[in-house]
Amino acid sequence: MPGIMEDHEREENLELPRFQTPVIQDNPHGWGPCDMPEQFKDMPYQPFSKGDRLGKISDWTGATFQDKKYTSKYQSQFGAGSQYAYYHEEDESSFHLVDTTRVQKPPYQRGRFRQNQRNLRGRGGQRAGDRKNQVNAKKYGKQQGLRNQKNQAPIKNRDASVTVRPDWVTIEEMDFPRLSKLSLPNVKEAEDMSRVCCGSLEYYDKIYDRVNVKNEKPLQRIDRIFHTVTTTDDHIIRKLSKSEGNVYATDAILATLMCCTRSNYSWDIVIEKIGDKLFFDKRDNTEFDLLTVNETSVEPPCDDSTSLNSPRNLALEATFINHNFSQQVLKTGEARFKFDEPNPFITSPEEGEEASVAYRYRKWDLDNGVVLVARCEHDAVLNTPSGDLQFLTIKALNEWDSKLSGGVEWRQKLDIQRGAVLANELRNNACKLAKWTVQAILAGSDQIKFGYVSRVHVRDSSKHVILGTQQYKPAEFATQIKLNMDNAWGILRCIIDICMKQRDGKYLIMKDPNKPLIRLYDIPDNTFESENEDAEEEEGGLYLM
């Protein structure tokens, strides 16, 4: 009994479990809670259906990258909703809806194309299959264009031939489309200055006319002296400037100006105006006398100075080839044809053997008081079967890598398709060939002789072979390459007229390195001059008078 009593007392001391009744909100106007719980405040509610498929947990792209195949697979029957759309309060006031509705065409424009298509049906018009093929061709063309754009290297800006200084003033910009429309017809034949023909010429060796791919000849290295004297350094032009003409230049400078619309690379020419006289000069120690290679090609050489085929290395190679070829094809060791005066630029016989070259000083009347005096060059003479003498201009075209210059391999095409080789050269070297032709016409050469010279090995620019020769009359070749001499004279006359209107001083004309235009700058008188050059001008400045 005592044990039972103790157990009863222990049970009475234990606390009974209690149930806390929740707070029930009484909604007298309906059912559901009256107030929003704290954790759900300011949270938007988007209606949904339990029958909707679950797609992405979170879609940040919206409709931008929708899968068109399953457009309506995961759509809710209540729609996407705008409860979670983002709005920026500050942008709302400045937001304007752009009208993207299509402009309705007037009736007379709407039915024109369809009417024409209707008329074509049944009368030799396009069939459905043809139209489909055209669409596919356009689509393929677009894809090819995109591929080419991706594969093409980015266009690199070329450097100017001279750095434009801040104190230079731009006077005139002459774009090529305008220059190509100029014309100066009926320019009279050049007049040879009396007793001003200098130098001596060797005779052309006709053996080289029989050279071909199967009978090639190695190009020899011939050490001879070539003079590239600028206008104001020529003492004969200084002497002539006292009594003859009022514009003075060399044939190379004139050809550069007259063919400027074909050039892509940058070049510059210094112009000095003294009274009513103009002197066109090239700067010393420049690349003006180097021959460009593939200047007008669709894919010009890569401008990498370390590469064997960089523009400068190719120019040096082409100049080296021209100098050697023009002397190798002559009859060395035989008596030369000599003019009345010796070469004016040889100061002492100890300098070395002079190259076969003759200088002819010629005069042109360009009307309105403009008289041009220029020094021109011949490279050789040729005895004709009738016994007459013909003066020659000799130049060389060179092949460096056929895969990078049009894909025409000279050793395969030169003997059977020489026209294809020349056409490829005209595409790639239009400016160089035009300048050579102008120089031959200005000098009055009877023939211009071209040599085809190629590398022995593609990766070796020091060894070459002669694969063939070809000759043209300069006027006929100018017609073949579409060189209009009236336009060339018009460009020169335009530049002369602009310069004549300026005050006395020094000017520079430069081809823009990346745009088809030339600019005329007014530059300080001491530009490009060293102290030694100033002293030389003070001593013998005959051209200043």
Side-chain angles (χ1 to χ4, degrees), residues 39 160 252 305 318 446:
Q39 64 267 33
S305 58
D446 299 292

Side-chain angles (χ1 to χ4, degrees), residues 204 209 382 392 447-450 469-473:
Y204 177 74
D209 288 341
L382 175 68
L392 303 182
Q447 300 280 347
I448 181 168
K449 183 81 68 172
F450 292 116
T469 59
Q470 195 170 9
Q471 70 180 21
Y472 292 93
K473 291 182 178 179

Side-chain angles (χ1 to χ4, degrees), residues 410-465:
W410 288 11
R411 286 174 172 81
Q412 295 180 3
K413 301 285 186 179
L414 199 57
D415 286 349
I416 57 175
Q417 287 182 314
R418 185 161 293 186
V421 175
L422 185 60
N424 187 58
E425 288 300 305
L426 288 172
R427 282 193 298 271
N428 296 337
N429 298 290
C431 183
K432 180 169 68 175
L433 284 165
K435 288 198 288 187
W436 285 347
T437 309
V438 168
Q439 286 179 256
I441 291 173
L442 293 176
S445 295
D446 299 292
Q447 300 280 347
I448 181 168
K449 183 81 68 172
F450 292 116
Y452 294 93
V453 181
S454 177
R455 292 178 181 175
V456 176
H457 302 290
V458 176
R459 296 183 180 180
D460 185 4
S461 61
S462 61
K463 296 179 182 178
H464 303 84
V465 289

Side-chain angles (χ1 to χ4, degrees), residues 296-344:
T296 57
S297 172
V298 178
E299 296 181 1
C302 180
D303 194 5
D304 182 9
S305 58
T306 60
S307 171
L308 180 71
N309 298 325
S310 68
R312 176 171 170 75
N313 290 337
L314 288 174
L316 290 170
E317 180 186 359
T319 308
F320 167 83
I321 289 170
N322 263 269
H323 285 174
N324 289 310
F325 175 80
S326 66
Q327 303 304 304
Q328 182 177 338
V329 296
L330 307 178
K331 296 178 179 179
T332 57
E334 297 186 7
R336 293 190 177 197
F337 173 82
K338 295 184 178 180
F339 283 102
D340 297 335
E341 299 293 331
N343 191 322

Side-chain angles (χ1 to χ4, degrees), residues 271-289:
I271 306 169
E272 196 154 0
K273 184 175 186 292
I274 304 164
D276 61 343
K277 299 181 186 296
L278 287 178
F279 295 86
F280 290 83
D281 274 304
K282 65 182 181 67
R283 292 186 297 114
D284 292 333
N285 303 319
T286 62
E287 299 181 4
F288 184 86
D289 294 308

